[in-house]
Amino acid sequence: MKKKLDVKRVVLYLILLLFLIFYIIPVYTTLTTSLKDLGEVATSSPIKLPHKIYLGAYRDAAAELKRPFLNSLAFAIPATFISCVLGSINGYIFSKYKFKGSELIFLLFLIGIFLPYQSILIPLFEIISSLGLYDTFWALILTHSAYGIPITTLLFRNYYDQIPNELIEAGKVDGYGISGIYSKIILPLSGPAFAMTIIFQFTNVWNDYLFGLVLTMSANVRPMTVALANLKGSFAAAWNIQMAGALLVTLPTILLFIFLGKYFVRGLLAGSVKG
Amino acid sequence: MDKKTKLTAILATGVVIFVAFSGCIGGEKEEKAELQIVHWWTAGGEKEAINALFSMYRDKYPNIGINEEPISGGAGADMKAVMKTQIFAGNPPSTFQVHIGYELKPYYDGDALEDITWLWEQEGWGDNFPADLQEMAQFDDEYYAVPVGIHRGNLVWYNMEIFKEHNLKLPTTFDELLSVCESLKNEGITPLAVGTLNKWPGAHLFEVILMSVGADFYSDFISGKVNINDPRFDEALNRYADLFEYINSNHAALTWDQACGEVLSGDAAMTLMGDWAKGYFDTRGWRYGVNYSIFEFPETRGVFDVICDSFCLPKNAPSRDAAIKWLQLIGSIKGQNKFNPIKGSIPPRIDAPTDEYDDLAKATIADFRVCTLVPSIAHGSATPESFVTKFNDYMDNYITYGDKTAVKSGIQKAIENELLPYM
Amino acid sequence: MARTEKIVPFLFVLPSIILVGIFVYGAIGWNFIISLTAWDGLKPNYDFVGLDNYVRLFRDEIFINALKNNIVLILFLILGVTLVGLILAILLDQNVKGENCFRTVYLFPMAITFVVTATIWVWMYNPTSGVFNSILDALHLGSLKSGWITDPDIALYCIILALIWQFSGYTMVVFLAGIRSVPVETVEAAKVDGAGPLQSYSKIIIPQLTPSILSIFTVMMIYALKAFDFIWVAGKGGPGGSTEILAILMYKTAFLDSHFAYSAAIATILFLMAIAIVLPYLWITRKKI
């Protein structure tokens, strides 16, 4: 019987390993290509490691992506901040202070999570340009904040639903009003929720491409994702620069994922199963 | 009180950081005299050429700053998309690069361009540019653009050594072309290299085939006067189909310059491309008349497929004076003769001296001044943009699937929906 | 006092209501109105034409092609990520050493932006020097080489494969959480009744995964409708329109061709399709409370 189990385990690990290779190969080839010079990229197979490490591709990619990186930070941080704060307040109200129609409003927010952005693209563009915000950070901050509210609200509400109502009642007895309870009771308990929502939302905003494409154009405002796509256009045959650029663009979110991954996972799970 | 203060402090810090950020890295444009210019010349000879013009401009007008926004990708396709959005958002630059002809039309229709007939008159340009070209710069007899450089589109570039080795004569009729292709194919050499990754080279090839069927036919076609059942259109489709077996099978994976690379390496003998291909060969050590040469696509003798870069004046342009000075510069002999030799194109002005141009350019200039000029479809001059998109799509379809019926009905629909309503 | 109790909470959520009201519902409504006009070109034109644009859409073979591609995308993407995610989840539920390590690797593509994924996979699919053809060469299977993403017949499936790579970590995580939330007693009871591992999975655990499957289906279907970033960067809908889906068509029609009203009609249809998926889902999961 022991032998039978062993074979099964071997097969199990083999399959897992095969999948592992499937997941890693893209990153592996990206890495090797990014470290080769153009000649080697054209002649040697991507599976092979570079003959000698060539950092020129990273230098070129970084030169193009330096400013866009700052741009992305400049709108991603405020947008994440705003949508998370509003999400927390909304989640608190929808969870603990239901009023007439609040469930309906919450439902309408939920639908907003599933909105295909194409359905609002033209009006959004019109709104942003009539406010004179085209090609500014504010355009992206406003947009991402507004469209981030539904999901952050959901995440926080699910989280606050798990805080026993007795705590709220106790707060009321102590004489605190709505904001008092929020700051004294709810907020201190919100650490994990904020961690999860901030990381989840920051990743979403950082990774956006469509809004950046439509609402910005100049190099001073363009997000890193749009800049990478442009890199692909202007260095069409320079695969090493493209790959270096790709790795640079994804570095922040990958780092977040590696170090704070458990919050990211919680965000994924919490967002996908409705409370 | 502690937690509350902490919270307020965090909020306040956040706001401060944020305001500081948006303050010093704002995307705002300043109000001093500054030429805001958008173009797509981001690499190689093109970049050098426009930089040379910028130096010239700075020397002449040291008090005007230049704020350039080069947008690369798709030979201008990305820039065009961005430009439309920008104009639509009410945020025009001082001037922007645009192909002459129909590429201007969306902006003209959107009331976004200034009529610069007065500038043409002031500079006396009416005598210095070919009449056909001037027509392409007009809508309703009013001028809207200033041409800066011309490329020719109906040229076949060939590997001289291959032709010499196999004793091939330059074909002047389409049948001769086919027999040259047949000989090459039998020798294991790809006769015609095409790179259709970005679609337009295939469409470019087809438009030249249309010209080979007849220059008048081509003019009728772009005016929407051709019915899809016209035998001449059938003839053009058949000619294209005849070439299919002589085109490299991996065309869908190559860009136009990679197709040139096939000729360079000797894997292919010929490629049809605009004369920006010259820059490709020259920068790789090849020389005109030694390693490569050109001939007009068979049966397009006397026809000059015009691809013309120009600049325009948007309404409500910031620093309008700076923009006008720019237009004056590019319309001048000095400006054109500074820009074009570096870029590898030719000056649109027929009174420009030609000493500083190389032999190939001189030959092209001579042709330009006598041939019939026709605008290019694939490069946005001859027909409205949405027609060009469909044209590119269907010709890409044709070279992929060879389905003549599908292409005919598709082009017919495109003519009805995208061409005629917008002429 | 009672009245302030009712108003104050409302006031707290009012900013959000305004933002969502304008940017979501206002925009949807305005988009629908635009789709009923003749707006074409850079200057807005609000002449009313009723449902003309919609009628034209359904006669337009390019639209039908995009619709078809979208459906193919939805079907195979959902199939792919569900299958792979389920397999991975079941495998990882077997007391695997280094489970964390495996999970992290399977999941990390979710943190990568689509633009990066597209850039990487286009390179991998490159017919001359990309990884797939290189590996085939190395294994002496050169005859199997393909144009991959440049071949109109299989381009869409190449994209689907890349998306499965991106998303199956997500489905794995959801399934794993679902599997592990099945009470141990239920599984033990089944074992006592003589169920082997295969049966305990198929008869006991998988049926318990219905909520997980539902939410995955919904999320992935909505994604397939929204998917723009990846496909645009990978080839803008080419070759030959073989990877053009509705979201791509909508963008092209509006921002490249300036046919704004026509594009707004496409956008409305996208919205209706999304609603058709989301409302049943919300209804079903509401009941579960």
Side-chain angles (χ1 to χ4, degrees):
Chain A
M1 194 145 89
K2 209 161 188 203
K3 213 143 201 219
K4 215 168 159 193
L5 265 166
D6 271 354
V7 170
K8 277 204 171 143
R9 297 296 286 185
V10 167
V11 170
L12 171 72
Y13 280 99
L14 211 65
I15 301 181
L16 285 173
L17 213 63
L18 278 173
F19 272 111
L20 201 77
I21 297 179
F22 172 60
Y23 280 94
I24 294 197
I25 278 201
V27 179
Y28 173 73
T29 57
T30 307
L31 204 57
T32 59
T33 307
S34 69
L35 292 170
K36 294 180 183 167
D37 66 50
L38 211 52
E40 214 187 328
V41 172
T43 50
S44 82
S45 156
I47 321 175
K48 299 215 175 78
L49 289 169
H51 249 131
K52 53 176 170 48
I53 300 212
Y54 169 72
L55 292 176
Y58 278 99
R59 195 189 46 218
D60 292 334
E64 295 286 324
L65 294 173
K66 195 171 46 169
R67 176 60 200 241
F69 173 75
L70 292 174
N71 295 340
S72 283
L73 275 183
F75 69 80
I77 294 181
T80 306
F81 181 72
I82 295 178
S83 53
C84 286
V85 167
L86 286 178
S88 169
I89 297 176
N90 296 342
Y92 167 57
I93 300 288
F94 286 131
S95 175
K96 303 298 178 206
Y97 279 92
K98 302 190 187 169
F99 51 90
K100 196 148 75 153
S102 70
E103 284 302 287
L104 176 62
I105 297 182
F106 182 62
L107 183 64
L108 291 176
F109 275 27
L110 276 192
I111 295 180
I113 299 178
F114 297 103
L115 177 73
Y117 291 138
Q118 282 74 21
S119 312
I120 45 85
L121 207 53
I122 300 175
L124 173 68
F125 184 78
E126 283 192 281
I127 294 176
I128 296 290
S129 23
S130 58
L131 289 175
L133 293 179
Y134 176 74
D135 203 30
T136 63
F137 290 129
W138 271 111
L140 292 172
I141 294 174
L142 188 59
T143 305
H144 284 296
S145 300
Y147 293 113
I149 289 178
I151 186 76
T152 56
T153 305
L154 173 67
L155 290 178
F156 274 106
R157 183 199 153 134
N158 282 355
Y159 183 80
Y160 291 147
D161 271 349
Q162 292 165 11
I163 295 183
N165 289 349
E166 292 78 45
L167 284 178
I168 312 293
E169 296 305 320
K172 284 191 191 159
V173 164
D174 283 348
Y176 290 115
I178 295 185
S179 41
I181 296 184
Y182 180 72
S183 53
K184 290 227 133 345
I185 302 181
I186 298 291
L187 212 50
L189 293 174
S190 304
F194 267 104
M196 166 178 86
T197 313
I198 287 180
I199 290 175
F200 188 71
Q201 187 57 358
F202 181 82
T203 309
N204 279 345
V205 177
W206 184 271
N207 287 347
D208 164 70
Y209 174 71
L210 181 64
F211 288 139
L213 181 67
V214 171
L215 299 176
T216 71
M217 70 143 273
S218 55
N220 284 349
V221 187
R222 213 188 284 157
M224 214 178 180
T225 44
V226 178
L228 178 64
N230 284 351
L231 205 74
K232 192 169 183 295
S234 50
F235 291 99
W239 298 107
N240 51 350
I241 300 184
Q242 283 189 44
M243 293 305 119
L247 283 179
L248 287 176
V249 170
T250 201
L251 202 58
T253 46
I254 285 288
L255 284 177
L256 265 183
F257 175 75
I258 292 178
F259 292 113
L260 298 168
K262 68 172 175 185
Y263 296 108
F264 184 73
V265 175
R266 279 190 211 161
L268 273 185
L269 285 176
S272 69
V273 184
K274 194 209 161 237
Chain B
M1 290 310 129
D2 222 311
K3 283 256 164 76
K4 212 169 189 167
T5 330
K6 236 199 211 164
L7 183 64
T8 328
I10 297 177
L11 272 168
T13 326
V15 171
V16 167
I17 295 180
F18 160 51
V19 168
F21 240 131
S22 51
C24 62
I25 323 184
E28 320 219 343
K29 316 242 184 311
E30 299 182 354
E31 280 311 326
K32 79 168 187 342
E34 194 187 52
L35 179 73
Q36 286 167 26
I37 176 169
V38 184
H39 63 88
W40 67 74
W41 291 317
T42 55
E46 307 177 324
K47 189 167 167 184
E48 268 181 63
I50 187 136
N51 282 342
L53 271 181
F54 287 150
S55 310
M56 223 177 173
Y57 188 84
R58 282 193 196 98
D59 288 338
K60 217 166 172 202
Y61 310 110
N63 293 328
I64 305 184
I66 299 184
N67 181 357
E68 63 160 326
E69 195 65 62
I71 297 185
S72 62
D78 290 349
M79 193 220 100
K80 286 185 230 170
V82 165
M83 205 59 247
K84 289 221 211 95
T85 346
Q86 225 193 333
I87 299 257
F88 182 39
N91 203 10
S94 308
T95 181
F96 61 92
Q97 175 191 358
V98 60
H99 282 141
I100 216 169
Y102 268 98
E103 205 165 287
L104 283 162
K105 193 139 197 300
Y107 306 108
Y108 170 71
D109 286 339
D111 239 357
L113 295 180
E114 263 201 54
D115 172 7
I116 49 177
T117 312
W118 63 269
L119 184 63
W120 277 74
E121 281 167 7
Q122 177 188 297
E123 303 291 315
W125 285 334
D127 298 323
N128 306 328
F129 291 83
D132 288 341
L133 192 66
Q134 290 189 41
E135 254 183 62
M136 297 181 206
Q138 297 173 358
F139 292 109
D140 278 339
D141 296 327
E142 294 166 346
Y143 289 90
Y144 286 93
V146 180
V148 61
I150 303 273
H151 278 292
R152 186 174 190 185
N154 54 324
L155 298 174
V156 178
W157 305 73
Y158 67 96
N159 181 322
M160 288 180 78
E161 194 181 316
I162 294 183
F163 267 63
K164 201 155 70 173
E165 235 184 86
H166 301 277
N167 256 317
L168 296 169
K169 296 251 284 282
L170 300 185
T172 52
T173 69
F174 192 74
D175 287 329
E176 283 175 18
L177 176 65
L178 286 181
S179 72
V180 164
C181 286
E182 186 66 33
S183 319
L184 287 164
K185 187 171 169 197
N186 292 336
E187 301 285 343
I189 301 176
T190 310
L192 188 65
V194 184
T196 62
L197 182 69
N198 290 321
K199 286 193 198 173
W200 63 264
H204 182 147
L205 175 55
F206 185 66
E207 88 184 18
V208 175
I209 294 178
L210 284 173
M211 289 173 205
S212 74
V213 169
D216 290 334
F217 167 61
Y218 183 79
S219 298
D220 285 342
F221 181 77
I222 59 181
S223 315
K225 296 192 189 134
V226 166
N227 178 282
I228 221 57
N229 294 314
D230 191 319
R232 297 176 293 175
F233 190 72
D234 230 56
E235 165 77 23
L237 284 176
N238 289 339
R239 287 192 171 185
Y240 203 4
D242 286 338
L243 286 175
F244 286 164
E245 62 173 295
Y246 302 117
I247 294 178
N248 50 316
S249 53
N250 64 339
H251 58 81
L254 301 181
T255 55
W256 71 266
D257 48 302
Q258 288 173 319
C260 291
E262 299 282 294
V263 175
L264 186 77
S265 64
D267 289 329
M270 307 179 274
T271 185
L272 175 95
M273 195 34 64
D275 59 20
W276 48 82
K278 179 170 76 175
Y280 178 86
F281 292 118
D282 287 350
T283 50
R284 281 161 181 80
W286 264 24
R287 281 171 48 221
Y288 170 63
V290 175
N291 310 100
Y292 72 91
S293 185
I294 52 117
F295 60 88
E296 286 145 331
F297 190 83
E299 299 176 31
T300 63
R301 175 116 266 277
V303 177
F304 192 108
D305 185 11
V306 170
I307 292 133
C308 172
D309 292 306
S310 64
F311 283 85
C312 60
L313 184 65
K315 280 192 183 160
N316 301 320
S319 303
R320 184 171 173 273
D321 276 333
I324 293 176
K325 294 184 163 73
W326 173 258
L327 293 176
Q328 287 171 318
L329 179 65
I330 64 171
S332 68
I333 292 185
K334 271 226 191 97
Q336 292 191 0
N337 274 359
K338 183 103 198 167
F339 175 76
N340 288 298
I342 305 179
K343 186 172 188 295
S345 44
I346 65 169
R349 281 184 73 133
I350 53 182
D351 58 343
T354 62
D355 312 309
E356 39 216 297
Y357 291 93
D358 63 40
D359 291 335
L360 179 52
K362 284 202 180 115
T364 313
I365 293 175
D367 279 335
F368 177 68
R369 296 180 182 178
V370 300
C371 284
T372 314
L373 304 181
V374 293
S376 159
I377 302 177
H379 298 276
S381 303
T383 56
E385 213 160 338
S386 41
F387 178 78
V388 176
T389 325
K390 299 287 188 294
F391 185 73
N392 284 353
D393 283 342
Y394 284 115
M395 292 342 289
D396 191 44
N397 233 306
Y398 192 47
I399 200 175
T400 315
Y401 297 115
D403 187 346
K404 204 154 89 167
T405 343
V407 171
K408 276 168 81 169
S409 76
I411 299 273
Q412 176 69 5
K413 268 219 224 104
I415 293 181
E416 284 165 17
N417 294 335
E418 313 286 351
L419 180 60
L420 295 173
Y422 299 101
M423 300 201 66
Chain C
M1 248 345 136
R3 202 169 285 163
T4 15
E5 275 281 314
K6 289 250 170 81
I7 296 197
V8 175
F10 177 71
L11 287 179
F12 270 106
V13 292
L14 189 60
S16 300
I17 293 181
I18 294 180
L19 279 176
V20 172
I22 296 179
F23 283 86
V24 175
Y25 293 99
I28 294 176
W30 182 235
N31 183 71
F32 178 62
I33 293 180
I34 292 179
S35 74
L36 301 175
T37 70
W39 183 3
D40 206 303
L42 291 177
K43 220 169 13 163
N45 167 10
Y46 299 124
D47 292 343
F48 188 72
V49 296
L51 293 174
D52 258 10
N53 289 319
Y54 292 95
V55 172
R56 264 178 61 205
L57 265 186
F58 283 99
R59 295 214 194 114
D60 187 349
E61 65 192 34
I62 296 188
F63 172 74
I64 303 292
N65 178 56
L67 192 57
K68 192 182 52 130
N69 286 338
N70 238 141
I71 294 181
V72 169
L73 177 68
I74 292 178
L75 278 172
F76 284 92
L77 183 60
I78 290 185
L79 214 66
V81 298
T82 307
L83 221 61
V84 175
L86 193 57
I87 292 176
L88 288 177
I90 293 180
L91 289 179
L92 285 181
D93 191 40
Q94 306 304 317
N95 254 321
V96 173
K97 267 210 287 253
E99 174 193 315
N100 263 325
C101 170
F102 281 113
R103 258 193 14 220
T104 312
V105 171
Y106 296 152
L107 187 58
F108 87 87
M110 275 303 284
I112 302 181
T113 171
F114 297 113
V115 177
V116 167
T117 316
T119 308
I120 296 179
W121 279 78
V122 166
W123 163 234
M124 296 208 313
Y125 280 130
N126 183 277
T128 15
S129 35
V131 125
F132 285 118
N133 278 353
S134 297
I135 291 186
L136 285 175
D137 265 338
L139 295 176
H140 298 291
L141 291 169
S143 55
L144 288 179
K145 287 209 297 205
S146 160
W148 303 111
I149 217 169
T150 57
D151 178 348
D153 291 328
I154 60 174
L156 187 57
Y157 298 99
C158 291
I159 289 189
I160 293 178
L161 180 64
L163 288 174
I164 292 178
W165 178 85
Q166 177 126 37
F167 279 106
S168 38
Y170 160 69
T171 53
M172 171 200 75
V173 161
V174 173
F175 279 133
L176 203 52
I179 290 177
R180 294 199 165 147
S181 69
V182 175
V184 191
E185 300 83 44
T186 325
V187 183
E188 292 301 320
K191 279 215 186 116
V192 165
D193 283 345
L198 198 61
Q199 281 170 306
S200 68
Y201 271 110
S202 55
K203 296 244 166 16
I204 314 290
I205 299 193
I206 292 188
Q208 294 273 13
L209 289 176
T210 315
S212 308
I213 293 185
L214 263 178
S215 85
I216 286 179
F217 272 29
T218 308
V219 170
M220 295 312 299
M221 272 197 268
I222 296 297
Y223 170 73
L225 287 179
K226 288 166 82 151
F228 173 81
D229 302 0
F230 187 93
I231 300 188
W232 183 255
V233 173
K236 301 197 172 132
S242 57
T243 59
E244 189 164 271
I245 57 171
L246 291 175
I248 300 265
L249 185 61
M250 183 266 163
Y251 177 80
K252 274 186 182 170
T253 314
F255 294 96
L256 294 188
D257 294 342
S258 302
H259 299 321
F260 287 102
Y262 200 57
S263 169
I266 300 177
T268 307
I269 291 183
L270 261 178
F271 174 70
L272 291 175
M273 286 171 76
I275 286 288
I277 297 171
V278 167
L279 283 183
Y281 171 70
L282 288 179
W283 177 249
I284 295 177
T285 50
R286 268 186 89 67
K287 272 187 163 175
K288 288 249 161 94
I289 292 181

